[in-house]
Amino acid sequence: MKKIGNQSPFLLLIFIFLMLPFAGFAQSLQVDLSMSETNVYSGEQVSVELAISGTSIGSINQPQPPEINGLRWLRGSTSKGTSYVLNNNTPTITYTFGYLFIAQDPGSYTIPPFEVEIDGEKYQSNTLNFTVLDPASINEEDAQRAPDIYVRLEPATDSPVVGEQVIVDVVLYFKNGIEISSYQPTPGWKAEGFWKEELQYPQRAQATSTLVNGVRYQKARLMQYALFPTKSGELTLSPFELTLSVRQQRRSDPFGFGFGQERQNVQSIPVTINAQPLPDLKEAAFIGAVGKFEITREITPQKAMVGESIEVTTRISGTGNIPLINKPQYEFPETLEEYNPQQNSTINRQNRRISGTKIFTDVLIARNKGTFTIPAAKLAYFDPSTDSYVIKELPAINITAERDPNSSISEVRDLKLEIEPISGLAQWSNATSRPLYQKGWVWLMLMLPLFITAGAYGYKKYSDRMRTDTAFSRSRTASKKAEEILSQVNDPQDIKQGYHLIEKA
């Protein structure tokens, strides 16, 4: 009988020896995460690299970066590389994946571990801590590593009242030795809580030299916007993104042929504006205007015929939120019938401001003759320079309506057609063939399209005039309207009501 009790340690050693290569493979695989710079400025580009190293690596699925607070991934910018290293007769293969990000809001953040799948098994990388800095907070100690290029949104004020005009400049900063040949703003910039108007500005921006915390920069105002807060509270301007064509001056390119030119994306940091509510107003009607304005009211004509249109025009001119001004509401006498009001505006977007004129027109028609009064009104706008309301008093206006002495009442009478029969003998004749130009129906067919075209044109002119000319429209429908009113005369039992209907007709 054989003894087997002493063979167990020997078999265990053989098993461990056979498993050593597999244990060595598991321990030799490394997934490392690195960052080109752990202190970056908002709007600056930064690269993150994932390196996977091992003595033997099978298939690898390209990993997707996780969501990283403080960074925005530029999709489509992923790079890939492979390298082999032989050290002490041991080969090492390394796969690298590069990702490009843009730093966003200032603060301290952490890159979570990347997850990669190798031969069906998942591995995780290490984490990284980084800080996003505000370019405006550069001090002298950090001047040496200040960003070469960054963009900022610079509002003229950060505490306007609701409706106040806020001029916001899109300003690009870049160091000496860098040439910006062109720029293209990313479309779709939104300013939540604001009415936005783009101001006219020279296409070619002029750069001036400036110091930012001891660092010499070239400063260029690229674009300008006029923003009007539509509500109170903290409102945030979203980041503004630019695509630049950048060329750095190099000794190898003394003639500026464009060597070394590249495209670069920069992004501003969000800007918070605290909009203040407007104070209360009781003694006048606020029309939503904030700025400096002149308000006038006039009537044309002051003497009109019954049924003729009368226009009450309110003109508001000045600097401020012209597009947001509301139509003034007036009290008109009941005898004056109101029609759809009209409005038009002229806006000037030059000289770093929004200015212009807004005109409101009320269309009235007098039903009866007499003198009528449009009451006085008090309109108010808010002046941010004085932080108070300005009240404009509009005086009362008198209107005189008279009947047209030349007008006459048309009567419709029945017409009797006297038709007598025709007597006599009928004469018959044989039809003979005639050429086409002698046949009436041929000419009728030729002229029919002309008649249809002329009729359609006349109908269109008539419809357009009925739609645009109030006096003409009323003159065409007056008879029908009068007949409808007269048909009601027999219904009321009150004789005064009957006379009123007759007068109205």
Side-chain angles (χ1 to χ4, degrees):
M1 183 175 179
K2 287 187 178 182
K3 297 180 179 180
I4 60 174
N6 295 333
Q7 295 179 357
S8 297
F10 178 74
L11 294 176
L12 181 61
L13 291 174
I14 294 176
F15 177 77
I16 293 175
F17 178 78
L18 293 175
M19 292 299 296
L20 281 176
F22 298 96
F25 168 74
Q27 294 177 357
S28 63
L29 187 62
Q30 294 183 355
V31 181
D32 296 324
L33 189 66
S34 61
M35 197 173 183
S36 61
E37 183 61 58
T38 56
N39 292 317
V40 295
Y41 286 91
S42 178
E44 188 178 10
Q45 289 186 359
V46 62
S47 61
V48 176
E49 186 177 87
L50 180 67
I52 306 169
S53 303
T55 56
S56 177
I57 303 177
S59 61
I60 300 177
N61 295 327
Q62 180 173 338
Q64 293 290 324
E67 293 291 334
I68 304 175
N69 295 329
L71 295 179
R72 182 173 63 85
W73 179 32
L74 296 177
R75 297 183 180 273
S77 61
T78 305
S79 60
K80 183 178 179 180
T82 307
S83 63
Y84 296 88
V85 176
L86 186 62
N87 188 10
N88 296 328
N89 294 326
T90 301
T92 300
I93 183 173
T94 302
Y95 291 95
T96 58
F97 299 92
Y99 307 87
L100 202 60
F101 295 85
I102 290 183
Q104 294 186 303
D105 301 341
S108 298
Y109 303 94
T110 299
I111 299 180
F114 279 53
E115 190 175 88
V116 60
E117 184 175 351
I118 304 174
D119 294 330
E121 190 172 351
K122 295 182 178 180
Y123 298 85
Q124 285 189 343
S125 70
N126 55 303
T127 61
L128 286 176
N129 297 324
F130 67 97
T131 302
V132 179
L133 305 174
D134 186 350
S137 63
I138 302 173
N139 53 39
E140 295 181 359
E141 296 178 358
D142 298 330
Q144 295 300 325
R145 66 166 311 277
D148 293 338
I149 305 173
Y150 67 94
V151 65
R152 288 184 63 84
L153 293 175
E154 297 183 355
T157 178
D158 58 358
S159 57
V161 296
V162 174
E164 181 180 355
Q165 182 173 241
V166 180
I167 303 300
V168 178
D169 294 325
V170 180
V171 185
L172 182 67
Y173 294 85
F174 54 96
K175 288 184 177 179
N176 293 330
I178 297 178
E179 180 182 348
I180 309 296
S181 58
S182 65
Y183 66 90
Q184 181 65 39
T186 300
W189 179 63
K190 296 181 179 179
E192 297 290 343
F194 293 89
W195 176 278
K196 181 180 66 175
E197 291 280 349
E198 185 175 355
L199 300 178
Q200 296 180 3
Y201 200 72
Q203 294 295 328
R204 185 171 182 84
Q206 299 295 328
T208 59
S209 181
T210 185
L211 284 175
V212 180
N213 295 329
V215 182
R216 178 68 64 181
Y217 278 95
Q218 296 294 319
K219 176 182 178 181
R221 287 187 174 88
L222 304 182
M223 306 177 68
Q224 289 180 338
Y225 290 91
L227 303 181
F228 302 92
T230 57
K231 59 182 179 179
S232 60
E234 288 191 356
L235 306 176
T236 301
L237 300 180
S238 58
F240 194 94
E241 188 173 348
L242 290 172
T243 301
L244 308 173
S245 294
V246 182
R247 181 172 60 208
Q248 297 189 3
Q249 296 179 3
R250 301 178 180 178
R251 294 182 179 180
S252 58
D253 185 19
F255 301 103
F257 290 123
F259 300 129
Q261 183 168 333
E262 61 181 8
R263 298 181 67 84
Q264 183 173 342
N265 292 333
V266 293
Q267 187 183 57
S268 69
I269 61 175
V271 177
T272 300
I273 293 179
N274 188 13
Q276 306 296 324
L278 291 168
D280 294 333
L281 177 65
K282 297 180 179 179
E283 61 271 16
F286 180 58
I287 56 176
V290 179
K292 291 186 177 181
F293 300 96
E294 290 291 334
I295 304 176
T296 59
R297 182 177 70 171
E298 61 182 8
I299 187 169
T300 306
Q302 289 190 344
K303 292 184 178 181
M305 298 297 175
V306 174
E308 185 180 0
S309 61
I310 303 170
E311 295 184 352
V312 179
T313 303
T314 305
R315 184 184 303 270
I316 305 172
S317 303
T319 301
N321 59 344
I322 296 289
L324 302 180
I325 296 178
N326 300 321
K327 177 187 176 298
Q329 299 297 326
Y330 302 128
E331 294 182 1
F332 298 113
E334 295 182 357
T335 312
L336 300 178
E337 183 176 352
E338 300 181 43
Y339 280 78
N340 293 332
Q342 304 173 3
Q343 73 176 38
N344 59 77
S345 58
T346 303
I347 299 178
N348 184 5
R349 298 177 175 84
Q350 297 177 346
N351 301 324
R352 289 180 55 83
R353 65 181 184 180
I354 292 291
S355 61
T357 302
K358 199 162 191 178
I359 300 175
F360 299 95
T361 304
D362 292 286
V363 181
L364 309 174
I365 292 181
R367 289 301 184 188
N368 298 316
K369 68 177 182 177
T371 300
F372 314 101
T373 300
I374 298 178
K378 290 184 178 181
L379 303 181
Y381 67 89
F382 188 82
D383 188 353
S385 61
T386 60
D387 197 23
S388 62
Y389 285 99
V390 177
I391 299 177
K392 180 68 174 179
E393 296 186 6
L394 303 179
I397 303 177
N398 294 326
I399 303 173
T400 302
E402 299 177 352
R403 294 191 181 277
D404 189 357
N406 297 324
S407 62
S408 58
I409 302 176
S410 59
E411 297 181 355
V412 179
R413 300 181 178 179
D414 295 334
L415 298 179
K416 182 179 179 181
L417 300 180
E418 298 179 357
I419 302 177
E420 298 179 355
I422 300 176
S423 59
L425 298 176
Q427 296 182 358
W428 299 89
S429 61
N430 294 330
T432 58
S433 59
R434 292 180 299 170
L436 290 178
Y437 68 89
Q438 294 183 357
K439 295 182 179 181
W441 65 268
V442 174
W443 289 102
L444 179 62
M445 294 296 294
L446 292 176
M447 299 300 293
L448 184 60
L450 296 179
F451 294 151
I452 294 176
T453 303
Y457 178 76
Y459 179 75
K460 181 179 182 305
K461 294 286 290 184
Y462 177 82
S463 300
D464 292 343
R465 190 173 180 187
M466 288 287 290
R467 195 167 50 251
T468 58
D469 192 342
T470 305
F472 178 78
S473 175
R474 293 187 58 80
S475 67
R476 292 304 183 201
T477 58
S479 177
K480 181 179 179 180
K481 185 67 176 180
E483 290 178 0
E484 292 177 358
I485 296 175
L486 289 176
S487 64
Q488 303 174 8
V489 172
N490 296 326
D491 296 339
Q493 301 298 326
D494 189 359
I495 189 170
K496 292 183 178 181
Q497 181 66 17
Y499 279 113
H500 173 71
L501 292 176
I502 294 174
E503 181 183 6
K504 186 176 181 180

